[in-house]
Amino acid sequence: MATPQEENALLTVTPYIRNDQDTDSSMLSVKVKIIDEETHLIAAEKDADMGYVKARSLVYNAVPLGTVNPGNYQVEVQLFREGEILDSESEHITIRVDTSVDQPADILLTDMNLVITQFTDRDAKAVVDISPGVYNQGGDSRPLTMLVTAKKDEYTSYTESDELGIVKGSGQLRGHVRFVLPRRAEYTFAVSVEENGREIITSETTEPVKMDKIERNAVKNYPLVEEGTPIELPAEETPDSEGSTPGFESLFMFIAFLLAAGIIINRGPDNKKNEKEE
């Protein structure tokens, strides 16, 4: 998240850590660095605790880093366990001031809150409220419509919509839809936003949601990744690999970048989805 601060930007980086093993991790931490690509100097740096990551779960933590000048930067995040580095990720970003008053909207889908409000049909179905986060990093939008699809399998899916209206530049909000879904199933969720009937972005959850594992009134948060964005898993290690520890072979990390109005962040060409043709 880059928020305008006069001529500079207040930068916040949010690492997401997922543990795909059947055992909980030990205490984890991250180190975040913002490196100026022109001078190779560290413009900002901060350590943050991530705590324990339970088996088959995901955690995240927003790390505020302070202000940086417009320019080209490398964002580097390192994951540590008791001083030992486990993983690292880096991204190229460009921060620049955009003074154009006619700047088009640039919509991001950030995350998705899910909560089961009640059970029905003798607990066979769940009333599920879904609230995806929307952020406009460009100028004012035209009227927006959100579509949320819960896909059970290749042949069964459920879709609900919400009229978001106009989202101002640097504005953020949450849409809201409600499903009644069979509990004993798992679902993948896709969220898309249309502007005047034209789809401008589609994002999806990074993992399936097992509905019968979620308690009533427990708010669950899931990151949304733009459709088609690959999430690379680390190479699997053999059980007798030197230094291997159960519960850590499948710990991996990815980084979410958001942007506030007046500042534009461009990710590197390998990570940026090709823009749709007008």
Side-chain angles (χ1 to χ4, degrees):
M1 172 79 75
T3 306
Q5 301 287 314
E6 296 181 351
E7 295 300 322
N8 299 330
L10 178 61
L11 194 65
T12 299
V13 175
T14 302
Y16 289 81
I17 314 296
R18 193 169 82 197
N19 182 4
D20 283 342
Q21 290 294 297
D22 294 324
T23 56
D24 298 348
S25 78
S26 58
M27 185 67 73
L28 304 174
S29 63
V30 294
K31 179 185 291 290
V32 183
K33 297 179 182 179
I34 309 298
I35 303 170
D36 189 311
E37 292 189 344
E38 182 177 353
T39 64
H40 303 291
L41 297 176
I42 297 176
E45 180 178 2
K46 194 165 188 178
D47 298 324
D49 291 331
M50 300 298 295
Y52 298 93
V53 184
K54 291 185 178 295
R56 303 290 178 180
S57 67
L58 177 146
V59 300
Y60 64 95
N61 188 9
V63 182
L65 288 132
T67 58
V68 295
N69 297 319
N72 297 317
Y73 296 91
Q74 194 75 18
V75 179
E76 181 182 279
V77 181
Q78 296 174 314
L79 174 65
F80 292 89
R81 178 196 62 206
E82 299 174 356
E84 175 188 359
I85 187 168
L86 297 179
D87 195 9
S88 64
E89 290 286 343
S90 62
E91 289 286 352
H92 165 80
I93 63 172
T94 298
I95 299 179
R96 65 180 176 87
V97 177
D98 194 325
T99 58
S100 173
V101 295
D102 297 324
Q103 182 185 359
D106 191 355
I107 301 298
L108 294 178
L109 290 164
T110 58
D111 61 354
M112 185 187 84
N113 285 344
L114 181 152
V115 60
I116 295 176
T117 58
Q118 67 182 87
F119 299 122
T120 64
D121 196 9
R122 298 182 179 180
D123 290 347
K125 295 182 179 180
V127 179
V128 184
D129 284 358
I130 302 291
S131 300
V134 177
Y135 181 75
N136 182 5
Q137 64 180 9
D140 295 353
S141 76
R142 296 177 180 177
L144 301 180
T145 301
M146 173 181 286
L147 300 173
V148 181
T149 299
K151 184 177 180 180
K152 180 181 176 184
D153 53 45
E154 184 178 358
Y155 306 102
T156 309
S157 62
Y158 309 85
T159 300
E160 299 290 344
S161 64
D162 184 22
E163 298 296 330
L164 303 178
I166 294 173
V167 180
K168 297 288 187 179
S170 79
Q172 52 188 327
L173 53 79
R174 287 194 178 275
H176 179 262
V177 299
R178 175 167 290 178
F179 292 94
V180 178
L181 299 174
R183 285 186 65 195
R184 293 169 181 84
E186 65 179 34
Y187 301 85
T188 55
F189 286 88
V191 183
S192 63
V193 175
E194 296 180 352
E195 186 177 36
N196 277 0
R198 181 177 66 90
E199 182 181 291
I200 56 176
I201 187 172
T202 297
S203 296
E204 54 196 3
T205 53
T206 59
E207 56 186 335
V209 178
K210 297 180 179 180
M211 206 60 64
D212 61 349
K213 301 296 184 182
I214 301 177
E215 298 178 357
R216 181 180 173 183
N217 294 327
V219 179
K220 298 293 184 179
N221 180 270
Y222 302 90
L224 291 173
V225 177
E226 192 166 356
E227 189 178 53
T229 301
I231 298 178
E232 297 182 0
L233 298 177
E236 293 184 1
E237 299 179 12
T238 58
D240 55 356
S241 295
E242 183 178 355
S244 64
T245 304
F248 291 97
E249 290 83 355
S250 293
L251 266 174
F252 70 97
M253 173 174 57
F254 57 100
I255 309 166
F257 294 104
L258 302 179
L259 176 67
I263 309 285
I264 291 181
I265 291 184
N266 294 321
R267 301 178 70 174
D270 293 336
N271 297 295
K272 184 178 180 181
K273 184 178 179 182
N274 293 331
E275 296 180 357
K276 294 183 177 65
E277 294 181 358
E278 292 295 328

